[in-house]
Amino acid sequence: MISGILKPIGNFFESVLDRVVSAAGALVFMQIPAFLVQYQQRLGGHVDELALLVKKYKSAAADNGRTVDEYIGLHLQSNVKEFVSSGKLMLENMERFTDLSAALKSISGSEGIMKFISFLKNIDLDICKAAYKNFVPGLSFRLDTVLYGAAGIIVFMSVYFILKKSLQFIIVNVKKIKKH
């Protein structure tokens, strides 16, 4: 008798939980395009700042009648450790500028799921962490956002289903063990 009363209540709460998990999946995955935009803006800021540094390096090299590679090479080959250190910093900034510029071009030139794939291929973890730290959620109803939402429903419901079936399996087996 009690199980006859509790079963419909349990079914009700399970159906509510299904809907909550679906909505959560959609909302979480629908944030991906907004995050990508904010990451791309932050990446662009880094590229712009590095471009200013590279411009200054090139100007300093030109003032001394050298190419930027020659100028950095002089620093790296110096017997003065402070110059070697500054040469290493310049070289690292030049390489970072090249890498981040290519990443920005790749991400900016992509649309839909390809933008996400490009992001994954070119991710800079420091920029990603900073973008996440300052992330402002947002929703749009563009096709790609809706598709991310649908993917979120599928992923979250799949995980929910696996967890639910695993829990049911454990409960059934625990009952069998207790009977023996």
Side-chain angles (χ1 to χ4, degrees), residues 17-28:
L17 185 58
D18 283 352
R19 286 166 180 76
V20 169
V21 169
S22 292
L27 287 174
V28 168

Side-chain angles (χ1 to χ4, degrees), residues 79-117:
N79 292 329
V80 180
K81 69 178 184 175
E82 291 83 3
F83 288 146
V84 173
S85 177
S86 66
K88 287 179 182 177
L89 287 173
M90 285 188 277
L91 187 59
E92 287 171 9
N93 284 332
M94 295 285 290
E95 289 170 354
R96 185 160 168 78
F97 173 68
T98 301
D99 293 344
L100 293 183
S101 294
L104 180 61
K105 183 178 179 182
S106 176
I107 293 169
S108 299
S110 302
E111 290 292 325
I113 190 69
M114 293 310 296
K115 184 178 283 286
F116 184 68
I117 291 169

Side-chain angles (χ1 to χ4, degrees), residues 44-60 93-94 97 101:
H46 282 267
V47 169
D48 290 345
E49 189 61 32
L50 286 167
L52 290 174
L53 278 176
V54 169
K55 184 177 177 183
K56 288 180 182 181
Y57 297 158
K58 288 180 179 179
S59 177
N93 284 332
M94 295 285 290
F97 173 68
S101 294

Side-chain angles (χ1 to χ4, degrees), residues 11 31 60 64-66 70 77 84 119 140 143 150 162:
N11 289 340
Q31 296 306 308
N64 290 288
R66 304 214 180 258
E70 292 170 337
Q77 296 168 4
V84 173
F119 162 75
S140 73
L143 178 59
I162 291 167

